[in-house]
């Protein structure tokens, strides 16, 4: 079973920041938080990962709480192309088998 | 550089038949994983191979098998197909060596329909 809990769906206005929450209260000290997204009928796409520090790349920012029990993925300026299912996954190394939950379906609205 | 490629894109089979799905990882990646995604669910892990050896197996029946070749490409075989095997089959590759963490890169998938 997935070790994460995410809201089933969220809406975001185009051009605004999308903030996607994830709870992982049972995360171990050496497990990373990974985010992937899946645009309809395509393979999942890696977005970002982090251990305990906040991380930022060209796609998104990842904010992990100090107790590491939750995190937030931030898409700073959402576009229609960001409409997808977003998965939050905890993993020891990232290349071991990923356990996907049902994710959050983000709808970006014009 | 080319990403992960999978073939075929779509496939229609009849119950009881067998199927072979193929995956080519990103150049330099030695780990390949297979996932099954049924409609409305997240991907579910089937197999992982690293350096041609099986490193993990998910909760799937023995009708499912896989292998990895010396060039790190991989095949997933499913025998005695059931209607419930209809799904999107995803292949993911990763560097998979010590010293991670590493991300997995997914291919576009093979859509299998069993009738």
């Amino acid at each position: 079973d997935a070790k994460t809990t995410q809201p089933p769906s969220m809406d975001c206005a185009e051009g605004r920041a999308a903030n996607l929450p994830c709870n992982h209260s049972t995360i171990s000290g050496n497990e990373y938080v990974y985010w992937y997204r899946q645009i309809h009928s395509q393979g999942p796409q890696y977005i970002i990962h982090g251990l305990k520090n906040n991380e930022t790349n060209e796609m998104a920012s990842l904010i992990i709480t100090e107790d590491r029990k939750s995190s937030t993925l931030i898409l700073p300026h959402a576009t229609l192309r960001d409409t997808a299912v977003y998965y939050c996954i905890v993993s020891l190394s990232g290349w071991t088998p990923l356990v996907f939950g049902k994710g959050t379906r983000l709808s970006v609205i014009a | 550089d080319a990403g992960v490629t999978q073939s075929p894109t779509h496939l229609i089979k009849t119950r009881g038949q067998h199927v072979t799905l193929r995956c080519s990882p990103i150049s330099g990646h030695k780990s390949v994983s297979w996932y099954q995604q049924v409609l409305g669910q997240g991907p579910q892990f089937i197999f992982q191979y690293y350096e041609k050896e099986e490193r993990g197996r998910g909760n799937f029946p023995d009708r499912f098998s896989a292998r990895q070749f010396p060039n790190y490409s991989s095949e997933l075989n499913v025998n005695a197909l059931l209607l419930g095997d209809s799904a999107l089959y995803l292949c993911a590759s990763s560097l998979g060596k010590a010293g991670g963490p590493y991300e997995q890169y997914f291919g576009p998938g093979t859509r299998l329909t069993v009738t």
Side-chain angles (χ1 to χ4, degrees), chain B residues 4-78:
Chain B
V4 178
T5 60
Q6 292 186 244
S7 62
T9 306
H10 295 86
L11 202 53
I12 299 175
K13 290 287 191 178
T14 304
R15 279 177 296 176
Q17 288 186 318
H18 75 274
V19 68
T20 298
L21 310 180
R22 295 178 175 83
C23 171
S24 291
I26 292 172
S27 177
H29 285 191
K30 298 181 178 180
S31 175
V32 170
S33 297
W34 288 95
Y35 296 82
Q36 180 197 64
Q37 186 175 25
V38 299
L39 206 59
Q41 302 293 322
Q44 186 174 3
F45 170 71
I46 310 175
F47 283 108
Q48 185 181 52
Y49 278 78
Y50 176 69
E51 287 276 23
K52 294 159 283 181
E53 292 192 3
E54 182 181 304
R55 292 292 295 267
R57 173 187 286 253
N59 187 24
F60 280 81
D62 291 343
R63 299 185 295 108
F64 289 76
S65 64
R67 56 180 174 167
Q68 187 177 32
F69 299 99
N71 66 353
Y72 304 110
S73 67
S74 178
E75 281 183 356
L76 175 70
N77 294 283
V78 187

Side-chain angles (χ1 to χ4, degrees), chain A residues 27-39:
Chain A
I27 191 170
S28 302
N30 54 354
E31 286 183 313
Y32 291 80
V33 179
Y34 278 79
W35 284 83
Y36 286 78
R37 73 180 183 183
Q38 188 172 25
I39 297 170

